[in-house]
Every structure is written in C-alpha cells, then in structure tokens.
Short mmCIF file of all heavy atoms in Angstrom, two decimals:
data_model
loop_
_atom_site.label_atom_id
_atom_site.label_comp_id
_atom_site.label_asym_id
_atom_site.label_seq_id
_atom_site.Cartn_x
_atom_site.Cartn_y
_atom_site.Cartn_z
N MET X 1 10.05 -17.80 18.53
CA MET X 1 10.09 -16.53 17.85
C MET X 1 11.49 -15.95 17.95
O MET X 1 12.08 -15.90 19.03
CB MET X 1 9.06 -15.59 18.49
CG MET X 1 8.92 -14.31 17.77
SD MET X 1 7.43 -13.49 18.37
CE MET X 1 7.81 -11.86 17.89
N VAL X 2 12.01 -15.52 16.86
CA VAL X 2 13.37 -14.99 16.81
C VAL X 2 13.36 -13.54 17.26
O VAL X 2 12.55 -12.73 16.79
CB VAL X 2 13.94 -15.11 15.37
CG1 VAL X 2 15.33 -14.51 15.30
CG2 VAL X 2 13.93 -16.55 14.92
N LYS X 3 14.27 -13.20 18.18
CA LYS X 3 14.38 -11.81 18.63
C LYS X 3 15.21 -11.04 17.61
O LYS X 3 16.25 -11.50 17.16
CB LYS X 3 15.05 -11.74 19.99
CG LYS X 3 14.18 -12.19 21.13
CD LYS X 3 14.79 -11.82 22.44
CE LYS X 3 14.16 -10.53 22.83
NZ LYS X 3 14.51 -10.06 24.14
N LYS X 4 14.73 -9.86 17.27
CA LYS X 4 15.47 -9.02 16.34
C LYS X 4 16.45 -8.15 17.11
O LYS X 4 16.17 -7.73 18.22
CB LYS X 4 14.50 -8.12 15.56
CG LYS X 4 13.61 -8.85 14.60
CD LYS X 4 12.76 -7.87 13.82
CE LYS X 4 11.87 -8.58 12.84
NZ LYS X 4 11.04 -7.64 12.09
N SER X 5 17.56 -7.87 16.47
CA SER X 5 18.54 -6.99 17.09
C SER X 5 18.08 -5.54 16.96
O SER X 5 17.17 -5.21 16.19
CB SER X 5 19.91 -7.16 16.43
OG SER X 5 19.87 -6.68 15.10
N LEU X 6 18.70 -4.67 17.73
CA LEU X 6 18.35 -3.25 17.69
C LEU X 6 18.59 -2.68 16.29
O LEU X 6 17.79 -1.89 15.79
CB LEU X 6 19.16 -2.49 18.73
CG LEU X 6 18.94 -0.98 18.80
CD1 LEU X 6 17.50 -0.69 19.19
CD2 LEU X 6 19.90 -0.35 19.77
N ASN X 7 19.67 -3.11 15.66
CA ASN X 7 20.00 -2.63 14.31
C ASN X 7 18.90 -3.02 13.32
O ASN X 7 18.48 -2.21 12.49
CB ASN X 7 21.35 -3.20 13.89
CG ASN X 7 21.88 -2.56 12.64
OD1 ASN X 7 21.44 -1.49 12.24
ND2 ASN X 7 22.84 -3.21 12.01
N GLN X 8 18.42 -4.26 13.41
CA GLN X 8 17.37 -4.72 12.50
C GLN X 8 16.06 -3.99 12.77
O GLN X 8 15.33 -3.65 11.83
CB GLN X 8 17.18 -6.23 12.64
CG GLN X 8 16.20 -6.81 11.65
CD GLN X 8 16.61 -6.59 10.21
OE1 GLN X 8 17.78 -6.63 9.88
NE2 GLN X 8 15.63 -6.35 9.35
N LYS X 9 15.74 -3.74 14.03
CA LYS X 9 14.51 -3.00 14.36
C LYS X 9 14.56 -1.58 13.79
O LYS X 9 13.57 -1.09 13.25
CB LYS X 9 14.32 -2.93 15.86
CG LYS X 9 13.94 -4.25 16.50
CD LYS X 9 13.81 -4.08 18.00
CE LYS X 9 13.56 -5.37 18.70
NZ LYS X 9 13.49 -5.22 20.17
N MET X 10 15.71 -0.93 13.90
CA MET X 10 15.83 0.43 13.37
C MET X 10 15.73 0.43 11.85
O MET X 10 15.13 1.33 11.26
CB MET X 10 17.15 1.06 13.81
CG MET X 10 17.19 1.43 15.27
SD MET X 10 15.89 2.56 15.76
CE MET X 10 16.40 4.03 14.92
N LYS X 11 16.30 -0.57 11.20
CA LYS X 11 16.18 -0.67 9.74
C LYS X 11 14.73 -0.87 9.33
O LYS X 11 14.28 -0.30 8.33
CB LYS X 11 17.04 -1.83 9.22
CG LYS X 11 18.50 -1.54 9.21
CD LYS X 11 19.30 -2.70 8.66
CE LYS X 11 20.79 -2.39 8.70
NZ LYS X 11 21.60 -3.51 8.21
N ASP X 12 13.97 -1.65 10.11
CA ASP X 12 12.56 -1.84 9.82
C ASP X 12 11.79 -0.53 9.95
O ASP X 12 10.95 -0.21 9.10
CB ASP X 12 11.95 -2.89 10.76
CG ASP X 12 12.41 -4.29 10.44
OD1 ASP X 12 12.96 -4.52 9.34
OD2 ASP X 12 12.23 -5.17 11.31
N VAL X 13 12.06 0.23 11.00
CA VAL X 13 11.37 1.50 11.20
C VAL X 13 11.68 2.48 10.07
O VAL X 13 10.79 3.15 9.54
CB VAL X 13 11.73 2.11 12.57
CG1 VAL X 13 11.27 3.55 12.67
CG2 VAL X 13 11.12 1.29 13.68
N VAL X 14 12.94 2.55 9.66
CA VAL X 14 13.33 3.46 8.57
C VAL X 14 12.69 3.01 7.26
O VAL X 14 12.20 3.84 6.48
CB VAL X 14 14.87 3.53 8.45
CG1 VAL X 14 15.28 4.24 7.18
CG2 VAL X 14 15.45 4.22 9.67
N PHE X 15 12.65 1.71 7.02
CA PHE X 15 12.03 1.20 5.80
C PHE X 15 10.56 1.58 5.73
O PHE X 15 10.08 2.09 4.71
CB PHE X 15 12.19 -0.33 5.72
CG PHE X 15 11.40 -0.95 4.60
CD1 PHE X 15 11.85 -0.84 3.29
CD2 PHE X 15 10.22 -1.63 4.85
CE1 PHE X 15 11.13 -1.40 2.25
CE2 PHE X 15 9.50 -2.19 3.82
CZ PHE X 15 9.95 -2.09 2.52
N TYR X 16 9.84 1.37 6.83
CA TYR X 16 8.41 1.69 6.82
C TYR X 16 8.18 3.19 6.78
O TYR X 16 7.16 3.64 6.24
CB TYR X 16 7.70 1.05 8.01
CG TYR X 16 7.56 -0.45 7.83
CD1 TYR X 16 8.17 -1.35 8.70
CD2 TYR X 16 6.83 -0.97 6.77
CE1 TYR X 16 8.06 -2.70 8.52
CE2 TYR X 16 6.71 -2.32 6.58
CZ TYR X 16 7.32 -3.19 7.46
OH TYR X 16 7.20 -4.54 7.26
N ALA X 17 9.08 3.97 7.32
CA ALA X 17 8.96 5.43 7.22
C ALA X 17 9.12 5.88 5.77
O ALA X 17 8.38 6.76 5.30
CB ALA X 17 9.99 6.11 8.11
N ILE X 18 10.06 5.29 5.06
CA ILE X 18 10.26 5.63 3.65
C ILE X 18 9.06 5.20 2.81
O ILE X 18 8.60 5.94 1.94
CB ILE X 18 11.58 5.02 3.13
CG1 ILE X 18 12.77 5.71 3.78
CG2 ILE X 18 11.67 5.11 1.61
CD1 ILE X 18 14.10 5.06 3.51
N VAL X 19 8.53 4.02 3.09
CA VAL X 19 7.34 3.55 2.37
C VAL X 19 6.17 4.48 2.63
O VAL X 19 5.44 4.86 1.70
CB VAL X 19 7.00 2.09 2.78
CG1 VAL X 19 5.61 1.70 2.28
CG2 VAL X 19 8.05 1.14 2.26
N PHE X 20 5.99 4.90 3.90
CA PHE X 20 4.91 5.83 4.23
C PHE X 20 5.10 7.15 3.50
O PHE X 20 4.14 7.71 2.96
CB PHE X 20 4.86 6.07 5.74
CG PHE X 20 3.87 7.11 6.14
CD1 PHE X 20 2.53 6.81 6.20
CD2 PHE X 20 4.27 8.40 6.45
CE1 PHE X 20 1.59 7.77 6.56
CE2 PHE X 20 3.36 9.37 6.80
CZ PHE X 20 2.02 9.05 6.86
N PHE X 21 6.33 7.66 3.46
CA PHE X 21 6.62 8.93 2.78
C PHE X 21 6.26 8.85 1.30
O PHE X 21 5.60 9.74 0.76
CB PHE X 21 8.10 9.30 2.95
CG PHE X 21 8.52 10.50 2.14
CD1 PHE X 21 8.18 11.77 2.55
CD2 PHE X 21 9.25 10.33 0.97
CE1 PHE X 21 8.56 12.88 1.80
CE2 PHE X 21 9.63 11.43 0.23
CZ PHE X 21 9.29 12.71 0.64
N VAL X 22 6.68 7.80 0.64
CA VAL X 22 6.42 7.65 -0.80
C VAL X 22 4.92 7.52 -1.07
O VAL X 22 4.38 8.20 -1.96
CB VAL X 22 7.21 6.44 -1.37
CG1 VAL X 22 6.76 6.12 -2.78
CG2 VAL X 22 8.70 6.71 -1.33
N LEU X 23 4.24 6.67 -0.31
CA LEU X 23 2.81 6.49 -0.53
C LEU X 23 2.02 7.76 -0.23
O LEU X 23 1.10 8.11 -0.98
CB LEU X 23 2.29 5.33 0.31
CG LEU X 23 2.75 3.94 -0.12
CD1 LEU X 23 2.24 2.89 0.85
CD2 LEU X 23 2.30 3.64 -1.53
N TYR X 24 2.37 8.46 0.85
CA TYR X 24 1.67 9.69 1.19
C TYR X 24 1.88 10.74 0.11
O TYR X 24 0.95 11.45 -0.27
CB TYR X 24 2.17 10.21 2.54
CG TYR X 24 1.43 11.43 3.03
CD1 TYR X 24 0.27 11.30 3.77
CD2 TYR X 24 1.87 12.72 2.73
CE1 TYR X 24 -0.42 12.41 4.22
CE2 TYR X 24 1.19 13.83 3.16
CZ TYR X 24 0.04 13.68 3.91
OH TYR X 24 -0.65 14.78 4.34
N THR X 25 3.11 10.83 -0.42
CA THR X 25 3.40 11.80 -1.46
C THR X 25 2.62 11.50 -2.73
O THR X 25 2.06 12.41 -3.36
CB THR X 25 4.91 11.82 -1.76
OG1 THR X 25 5.62 12.07 -0.55
CG2 THR X 25 5.27 12.88 -2.78
N ILE X 26 2.55 10.25 -3.11
CA ILE X 26 1.83 9.86 -4.32
C ILE X 26 0.33 10.15 -4.18
O ILE X 26 -0.29 10.74 -5.07
CB ILE X 26 2.08 8.38 -4.67
CG1 ILE X 26 3.51 8.19 -5.13
CG2 ILE X 26 1.10 7.88 -5.73
CD1 ILE X 26 3.94 6.74 -5.28
N VAL X 27 -0.24 9.75 -3.05
CA VAL X 27 -1.67 9.97 -2.84
C VAL X 27 -1.98 11.47 -2.77
O VAL X 27 -2.98 11.94 -3.36
CB VAL X 27 -2.16 9.23 -1.58
CG1 VAL X 27 -3.57 9.65 -1.20
CG2 VAL X 27 -2.09 7.73 -1.79
N ALA X 28 -1.15 12.23 -2.09
CA ALA X 28 -1.38 13.68 -2.00
C ALA X 28 -1.28 14.33 -3.38
O ALA X 28 -2.08 15.22 -3.70
CB ALA X 28 -0.37 14.30 -1.04
N TYR X 29 -0.33 13.91 -4.19
CA TYR X 29 -0.21 14.46 -5.54
C TYR X 29 -1.44 14.13 -6.38
O TYR X 29 -1.96 14.97 -7.11
CB TYR X 29 1.06 13.96 -6.23
CG TYR X 29 1.22 14.52 -7.62
CD1 TYR X 29 1.71 15.81 -7.80
CD2 TYR X 29 0.86 13.79 -8.74
CE1 TYR X 29 1.84 16.35 -9.08
CE2 TYR X 29 0.98 14.32 -10.01
CZ TYR X 29 1.47 15.59 -10.17
OH TYR X 29 1.58 16.12 -11.42
N LEU X 30 -1.89 12.88 -6.28
CA LEU X 30 -3.07 12.49 -7.06
C LEU X 30 -4.31 13.28 -6.62
O LEU X 30 -5.12 13.68 -7.45
CB LEU X 30 -3.32 10.99 -6.90
CG LEU X 30 -2.32 10.08 -7.62
CD1 LEU X 30 -2.58 8.63 -7.26
CD2 LEU X 30 -2.38 10.28 -9.12
N LEU X 31 -4.45 13.50 -5.33
CA LEU X 31 -5.60 14.26 -4.85
C LEU X 31 -5.51 15.74 -5.24
O LEU X 31 -6.52 16.35 -5.58
CB LEU X 31 -5.73 14.12 -3.34
CG LEU X 31 -6.16 12.74 -2.84
CD1 LEU X 31 -6.09 12.68 -1.33
CD2 LEU X 31 -7.54 12.40 -3.33
N GLU X 32 -4.31 16.32 -5.17
CA GLU X 32 -4.14 17.73 -5.55
C GLU X 32 -4.38 17.95 -7.04
O GLU X 32 -4.89 18.98 -7.43
CB GLU X 32 -2.73 18.22 -5.23
CG GLU X 32 -2.47 18.79 -3.88
CD GLU X 32 -3.36 19.94 -3.47
OE1 GLU X 32 -3.55 20.91 -4.23
OE2 GLU X 32 -3.88 19.87 -2.36
N SER X 33 -3.95 17.00 -7.85
CA SER X 33 -4.08 17.17 -9.30
C SER X 33 -5.40 16.63 -9.84
O SER X 33 -5.57 16.54 -11.06
CB SER X 33 -2.92 16.48 -10.01
OG SER X 33 -3.02 15.07 -9.86
N LYS X 34 -6.31 16.30 -8.94
CA LYS X 34 -7.62 15.75 -9.32
C LYS X 34 -7.45 14.53 -10.23
O LYS X 34 -7.98 14.47 -11.33
CB LYS X 34 -8.49 16.81 -9.96
CG LYS X 34 -8.82 17.93 -9.01
CD LYS X 34 -9.80 18.91 -9.61
CE LYS X 34 -10.14 19.93 -8.57
NZ LYS X 34 -9.59 21.23 -8.78
N TRP X 35 -6.67 13.58 -9.71
CA TRP X 35 -6.38 12.33 -10.40
C TRP X 35 -5.78 12.57 -11.78
O TRP X 35 -6.24 12.02 -12.78
CB TRP X 35 -7.61 11.42 -10.46
CG TRP X 35 -8.06 11.04 -9.08
CD1 TRP X 35 -9.07 11.58 -8.38
CD2 TRP X 35 -7.45 10.08 -8.23
NE1 TRP X 35 -9.15 11.02 -7.14
CE2 TRP X 35 -8.17 10.09 -7.02
CE3 TRP X 35 -6.38 9.20 -8.37
CZ2 TRP X 35 -7.83 9.27 -5.96
CZ3 TRP X 35 -6.06 8.39 -7.31
CH2 TRP X 35 -6.78 8.42 -6.12
N LEU X 36 -4.77 13.43 -11.82
CA LEU X 36 -3.94 13.73 -12.99
C LEU X 36 -4.71 14.45 -14.11
O LEU X 36 -4.28 14.44 -15.26
CB LEU X 36 -3.28 12.47 -13.55
CG LEU X 36 -2.40 11.68 -12.57
CD1 LEU X 36 -1.90 10.41 -13.21
CD2 LEU X 36 -1.25 12.52 -12.08
N SER X 37 -5.82 15.08 -13.78
CA SER X 37 -6.56 15.79 -14.82
C SER X 37 -6.04 17.21 -15.03
O SER X 37 -6.36 17.83 -16.04
CB SER X 37 -8.06 15.84 -14.48
OG SER X 37 -8.26 16.60 -13.30
N GLU X 38 -5.25 17.73 -14.10
CA GLU X 38 -4.65 19.05 -14.28
C GLU X 38 -3.23 19.04 -13.73
O GLU X 38 -2.88 18.23 -12.88
CB GLU X 38 -5.48 20.13 -13.60
CG GLU X 38 -5.62 19.96 -12.11
CD GLU X 38 -6.55 21.00 -11.50
OE1 GLU X 38 -7.62 21.24 -12.07
OE2 GLU X 38 -6.17 21.54 -10.47
N ILE X 39 -2.44 19.94 -14.25
CA ILE X 39 -1.04 20.05 -13.83
C ILE X 39 -0.98 21.04 -12.66
O ILE X 39 -1.55 22.11 -12.71
CB ILE X 39 -0.16 20.55 -14.99
CG1 ILE X 39 -0.21 19.53 -16.13
CG2 ILE X 39 1.28 20.75 -14.51
CD1 ILE X 39 0.48 20.01 -17.39
N ILE X 40 -0.28 20.64 -11.61
CA ILE X 40 -0.15 21.54 -10.47
C ILE X 40 1.20 22.23 -10.51
O ILE X 40 2.17 21.72 -11.07
CB ILE X 40 -0.36 20.80 -9.14
CG1 ILE X 40 0.67 19.69 -8.94
CG2 ILE X 40 -1.74 20.23 -9.05
CD1 ILE X 40 0.59 19.04 -7.59
N GLY X 41 1.25 23.40 -9.90
CA GLY X 41 2.46 24.22 -9.94
C GLY X 41 3.49 23.79 -8.90
O GLY X 41 3.24 22.96 -8.03
N LEU X 42 4.65 24.39 -9.02
CA LEU X 42 5.75 24.07 -8.13
C LEU X 42 5.47 24.42 -6.67
O LEU X 42 5.87 23.65 -5.79
CB LEU X 42 7.02 24.78 -8.62
CG LEU X 42 8.35 24.09 -8.34
CD1 LEU X 42 8.33 22.65 -8.78
CD2 LEU X 42 9.46 24.84 -9.01
N PRO X 43 4.79 25.52 -6.37
CA PRO X 43 4.49 25.80 -4.95
C PRO X 43 3.62 24.73 -4.29
O PRO X 43 3.82 24.39 -3.13
CB PRO X 43 3.76 27.14 -4.99
CG PRO X 43 4.22 27.79 -6.24
CD PRO X 43 4.44 26.67 -7.21
N LYS X 44 2.68 24.16 -5.04
CA LYS X 44 1.85 23.08 -4.48
C LYS X 44 2.66 21.81 -4.29
O LYS X 44 2.45 21.08 -3.32
CB LYS X 44 0.64 22.82 -5.37
CG LYS X 44 -0.45 23.83 -5.21
CD LYS X 44 -1.71 23.38 -5.89
CE LYS X 44 -2.81 24.39 -5.67
NZ LYS X 44 -4.08 23.94 -6.23
N ILE X 45 3.57 21.53 -5.21
CA ILE X 45 4.43 20.36 -5.06
C ILE X 45 5.33 20.53 -3.84
O ILE X 45 5.55 19.59 -3.08
CB ILE X 45 5.24 20.11 -6.34
CG1 ILE X 45 4.33 19.69 -7.47
CG2 ILE X 45 6.32 19.05 -6.11
CD1 ILE X 45 5.00 19.54 -8.81
N ASN X 46 5.83 21.74 -3.65
CA ASN X 46 6.63 22.03 -2.48
C ASN X 46 5.82 21.81 -1.20
O ASN X 46 6.32 21.25 -0.22
CB ASN X 46 7.15 23.47 -2.53
CG ASN X 46 8.11 23.78 -1.42
OD1 ASN X 46 8.74 22.90 -0.87
ND2 ASN X 46 8.22 25.06 -1.09
N GLY X 47 4.58 22.23 -1.19
CA GLY X 47 3.71 22.02 -0.05
C GLY X 47 3.44 20.56 0.22
O GLY X 47 3.41 20.12 1.37
N ILE X 48 3.27 19.79 -0.85
CA ILE X 48 3.04 18.34 -0.70
C ILE X 48 4.27 17.68 -0.08
O ILE X 48 4.15 16.87 0.84
CB ILE X 48 2.70 17.70 -2.06
CG1 ILE X 48 1.32 18.15 -2.52
CG2 ILE X 48 2.77 16.18 -1.99
CD1 ILE X 48 0.99 17.74 -3.94
N LEU X 49 5.45 18.02 -0.59
CA LEU X 49 6.67 17.43 -0.04
C LEU X 49 6.90 17.84 1.41
O LEU X 49 7.32 17.03 2.24
CB LEU X 49 7.88 17.80 -0.90
CG LEU X 49 7.93 17.14 -2.28
CD1 LEU X 49 9.09 17.69 -3.08
CD2 LEU X 49 8.04 15.65 -2.15
N LYS X 50 6.60 19.10 1.72
CA LYS X 50 6.77 19.58 3.09
C LYS X 50 5.82 18.84 4.03
O LYS X 50 6.22 18.41 5.11
CB LYS X 50 6.51 21.09 3.14
CG LYS X 50 6.77 21.71 4.49
CD LYS X 50 6.69 23.22 4.45
CE LYS X 50 5.32 23.66 3.99
NZ LYS X 50 5.09 25.10 4.13
N ASP X 51 4.58 18.66 3.61
CA ASP X 51 3.62 17.93 4.43
C ASP X 51 4.02 16.47 4.58
O ASP X 51 3.85 15.88 5.65
CB ASP X 51 2.22 18.03 3.83
CG ASP X 51 1.64 19.42 3.93
OD1 ASP X 51 2.15 20.22 4.74
OD2 ASP X 51 0.67 19.71 3.19
N SER X 52 4.54 15.88 3.51
CA SER X 52 4.96 14.49 3.56
C SER X 52 6.10 14.30 4.55
O SER X 52 6.11 13.35 5.34
CB SER X 52 5.41 14.01 2.18
OG SER X 52 4.36 14.07 1.26
N LEU X 53 7.07 15.19 4.50
CA LEU X 53 8.20 15.10 5.44
C LEU X 53 7.75 15.33 6.87
O LEU X 53 8.23 14.65 7.80
CB LEU X 53 9.29 16.09 5.05
CG LEU X 53 10.08 15.74 3.80
CD1 LEU X 53 10.98 16.90 3.41
CD2 LEU X 53 10.90 14.49 4.02
N THR X 54 6.83 16.25 7.08
CA THR X 54 6.32 16.53 8.42
C THR X 54 5.59 15.32 8.99
O THR X 54 5.81 14.93 10.14
CB THR X 54 5.39 17.74 8.40
OG1 THR X 54 6.10 18.86 7.89
CG2 THR X 54 4.86 18.06 9.78
N MET X 55 4.72 14.72 8.19
CA MET X 55 3.98 13.54 8.65
C MET X 55 4.91 12.36 8.91
O MET X 55 4.74 11.63 9.89
CB MET X 55 2.92 13.14 7.61
CG MET X 55 1.79 14.11 7.49
SD MET X 55 0.70 14.07 8.89
CE MET X 55 -0.01 12.45 8.70
N THR X 56 5.90 12.17 8.06
CA THR X 56 6.85 11.08 8.25
C THR X 56 7.64 11.27 9.53
O THR X 56 7.84 10.33 10.30
CB THR X 56 7.79 10.97 7.04
OG1 THR X 56 7.01 10.80 5.85
CG2 THR X 56 8.74 9.80 7.18
N ALA X 57 8.09 12.48 9.79
CA ALA X 57 8.84 12.75 11.01
C ALA X 57 7.97 12.57 12.24
O ALA X 57 8.44 12.09 13.28
CB ALA X 57 9.41 14.17 10.97
N ALA X 58 6.70 12.93 12.12
CA ALA X 58 5.78 12.78 13.25
C ALA X 58 5.57 11.32 13.61
O ALA X 58 5.34 10.98 14.77
CB ALA X 58 4.45 13.44 12.93
N PHE X 59 5.62 10.43 12.63
CA PHE X 59 5.47 9.00 12.91
C PHE X 59 6.80 8.31 13.17
O PHE X 59 6.85 7.28 13.85
CB PHE X 59 4.76 8.30 11.76
CG PHE X 59 3.31 8.66 11.65
CD1 PHE X 59 2.79 9.15 10.47
CD2 PHE X 59 2.46 8.51 12.73
CE1 PHE X 59 1.45 9.49 10.36
CE2 PHE X 59 1.11 8.84 12.64
CZ PHE X 59 0.62 9.33 11.44
N LEU X 60 7.89 8.84 12.65
CA LEU X 60 9.20 8.22 12.83
C LEU X 60 9.74 8.43 14.24
O LEU X 60 10.30 7.50 14.82
CB LEU X 60 10.20 8.79 11.80
CG LEU X 60 11.62 8.24 11.85
CD1 LEU X 60 11.61 6.75 11.57
CD2 LEU X 60 12.49 8.96 10.84
N ALA X 61 9.57 9.60 14.79
CA ALA X 61 10.13 9.90 16.12
C ALA X 61 9.56 9.00 17.22
O ALA X 61 10.34 8.41 17.97
CB ALA X 61 9.91 11.37 16.44
N PRO X 62 8.25 8.85 17.34
CA PRO X 62 7.75 7.94 18.39
C PRO X 62 8.13 6.48 18.15
O PRO X 62 8.37 5.74 19.09
CB PRO X 62 6.24 8.11 18.34
CG PRO X 62 6.00 9.35 17.61
CD PRO X 62 7.16 9.56 16.71
N GLY X 63 8.18 6.09 16.89
CA GLY X 63 8.58 4.71 16.58
C GLY X 63 10.01 4.42 17.00
O GLY X 63 10.30 3.39 17.61
N ALA X 64 10.90 5.34 16.69
CA ALA X 64 12.31 5.17 17.08
C ALA X 64 12.45 5.24 18.60
O ALA X 64 13.22 4.46 19.19
CB ALA X 64 13.16 6.24 16.41
N ALA X 65 11.73 6.13 19.23
CA ALA X 65 11.82 6.24 20.70
C ALA X 65 11.30 4.97 21.36
O ALA X 65 11.88 4.50 22.34
CB ALA X 65 11.03 7.45 21.17
N PHE X 66 10.21 4.43 20.85
CA PHE X 66 9.66 3.20 21.42
C PHE X 66 10.66 2.06 21.32
O PHE X 66 10.84 1.29 22.27
CB PHE X 66 8.36 2.84 20.72
CG PHE X 66 7.71 1.59 21.23
CD1 PHE X 66 7.09 1.59 22.46
CD2 PHE X 66 7.74 0.43 20.48
CE1 PHE X 66 6.49 0.43 22.95
CE2 PHE X 66 7.15 -0.72 20.95
CZ PHE X 66 6.53 -0.73 22.19
N ILE X 67 11.32 1.94 20.18
CA ILE X 67 12.29 0.86 19.99
C ILE X 67 13.50 1.06 20.90
O ILE X 67 13.97 0.12 21.54
CB ILE X 67 12.73 0.77 18.52
CG1 ILE X 67 11.60 0.20 17.70
CG2 ILE X 67 13.96 -0.10 18.36
CD1 ILE X 67 11.86 0.22 16.23
N LEU X 68 14.01 2.28 20.98
CA LEU X 68 15.20 2.53 21.78
C LEU X 68 14.95 2.37 23.27
O LEU X 68 15.81 1.87 24.00
CB LEU X 68 15.75 3.92 21.48
CG LEU X 68 16.36 4.10 20.09
CD1 LEU X 68 16.73 5.55 19.87
CD2 LEU X 68 17.58 3.20 19.93
N PHE X 69 13.80 2.78 23.75
CA PHE X 69 13.55 2.71 25.19
C PHE X 69 13.00 1.38 25.67
O PHE X 69 12.95 1.14 26.86
CB PHE X 69 12.64 3.86 25.62
CG PHE X 69 13.31 5.20 25.55
CD1 PHE X 69 12.80 6.18 24.74
CD2 PHE X 69 14.47 5.44 26.27
CE1 PHE X 69 13.43 7.42 24.66
CE2 PHE X 69 15.10 6.67 26.19
CZ PHE X 69 14.59 7.66 25.39
N THR X 70 12.60 0.51 24.75
CA THR X 70 12.15 -0.82 25.17
C THR X 70 13.22 -1.88 24.97
O THR X 70 13.01 -3.02 25.32
CB THR X 70 10.88 -1.24 24.40
OG1 THR X 70 11.15 -1.22 23.01
CG2 THR X 70 9.71 -0.34 24.74
N ASP X 71 14.34 -1.51 24.42
CA ASP X 71 15.39 -2.49 24.16
C ASP X 71 16.17 -2.78 25.43
O ASP X 71 16.63 -2.05 26.15
CB ASP X 71 16.32 -1.99 23.06
CG ASP X 71 17.26 -3.09 22.60
OD1 ASP X 71 16.80 -4.25 22.58
OD2 ASP X 71 18.40 -2.78 22.26
#
C-alpha cells in the first residue's frame, strides 16, 4: 500500500469538502423549492448557502485535524 504524503491527504480532504458542499447545496435547494415546482427568494438561498458552509466547516475541521495530528 502506497503511503500518501501530507500534501496529498490535505488535497483529498479539501476535494471531498467541496464535493460535500456542492451536493448539500443542490439537495437543500431542491428540497426548499419542492423539487423545482416553485421559485425561492434570495433570503432562502442565502440561508441555504450559509447552512452549506456551516456544515462543510463542521466536517472539514475534524478531518484536517485528524490528518495533521496523525502524520
């Protein structure tokens, strides 16, 4: 098994954080708009993005800490 460098591990964590952010944002938008049957306003979109960033940060911080402290 090939050992990954710290740089590669961090790139993997950032990649999966971005994927999680995009998927969470899309699913949240679809659920808020009732599967695109109605248009939602800008305040709701702002709330969706704020929640997406909060959830991504909540999962990114422990992931990065785990990688840095086990290296």
Side-chain angles (χ1 to χ4, degrees):
M1 186 166 159
V2 178
K3 287 192 96 174
K4 292 183 179 180
S5 67
L6 179 63
N7 191 17
Q8 185 60 36
K9 289 178 185 178
M10 288 302 291
K11 286 181 181 178
D12 288 344
V13 167
V14 169
F15 172 75
Y16 287 117
I18 291 171
V19 168
F20 175 78
F21 173 76
V22 169
L23 290 177
Y24 184 88
T25 304
I26 290 171
V27 170
Y29 180 80
L30 288 173
L31 290 173
E32 271 305 311
S33 68
K34 296 186 176 108
W35 298 100
L36 303 176
S37 64
E38 61 185 45
I39 298 173
I40 60 174
L42 211 51
K44 283 191 178 184
I45 292 175
N46 186 24
I48 290 171
L49 289 175
K50 185 172 60 171
D51 291 343
S52 299
L53 288 171
T54 302
M55 291 288 293
T56 303
F59 290 125
L60 180 62
F66 180 73
I67 288 173
L68 290 174
F69 290 120
T70 58
D71 190 36

